[in-house]
Amino acid sequence: MARILIVDDAAFMRMLLKKILTQAGHEVVGEASNGKEAVELYKKLKPDLVTMDIVMPEMDGITAVKEIMKIDPNAKIIMITAVGQEAKVMEALKSGAKGYIVKPFQAQKVIEEVNRVLSS
């Protein structure tokens, strides 16, 4: 079981991810709706893993990844991306993200990627 922070500006996506993750036995310790909140919550909660949307208001996911990696170079972050955002995913991976999930996602794919990143 991992302690996970979910970051997405869409409440529906956060709810969906939370359901998938908790049903798989993980604990969702926090939720953020933008990158700025994500960085603050990461400092406070020190989660085992973060799911991070790319396109968000105030601070996007890529900038948030860079900020979190400054705080914790070993942070485990999985990007949540829409089809057609390959360039942004590559930038996020270069910035320190450990994996990605493409929306619309299936529960099984989410769990597989979470388990892969947690065990790396």
Side-chain angles (χ1 to χ4, degrees):
M1 182 183 91
R3 298 172 66 255
I4 300 175
L5 170 62
I6 297 174
V7 186
D8 200 305
D9 57 325
F12 173 75
M13 289 310 261
R14 292 196 309 270
M15 191 177 72
L16 186 61
L17 273 168
K18 185 174 186 172
K19 184 179 177 196
I20 291 168
L21 294 167
T22 52
Q23 283 179 344
H26 298 292
E27 180 189 1
V28 174
V29 293
E31 294 182 31
S33 60
N34 63 56
K36 191 171 174 231
E37 283 178 16
V39 174
E40 292 307 311
L41 282 175
Y42 191 90
K43 287 181 198 170
K44 195 168 100 182
L45 301 170
K46 298 181 175 47
D48 301 318
L49 184 118
V50 180
T51 64
M52 180 83 68
D53 189 21
I54 293 181
V55 181
M56 295 181 291
E58 280 193 64
M59 181 191 288
D60 71 5
I62 294 167
T63 306
V65 167
K66 291 174 182 172
E67 291 300 310
I68 289 171
M69 295 311 287
K70 285 180 198 168
I71 299 161
D72 178 5
N74 298 313
K76 294 186 175 187
I77 304 170
I78 295 175
M79 303 311 291
I80 305 292
T81 175
V83 173
Q85 292 184 325
E86 288 81 6
K88 288 184 177 184
V89 169
M90 294 314 294
E91 187 182 346
L93 293 171
K94 282 183 194 148
S95 299
K98 305 288 188 278
Y100 67 94
I101 300 164
V102 180
K103 293 188 258 192
F105 44 72
Q106 297 163 316
Q108 187 59 36
K109 292 274 184 222
V110 172
I111 298 308
E112 283 171 13
E113 188 67 354
V114 165
N115 290 340
R116 185 189 69 76
V117 171
L118 284 169
S119 65
S120 65

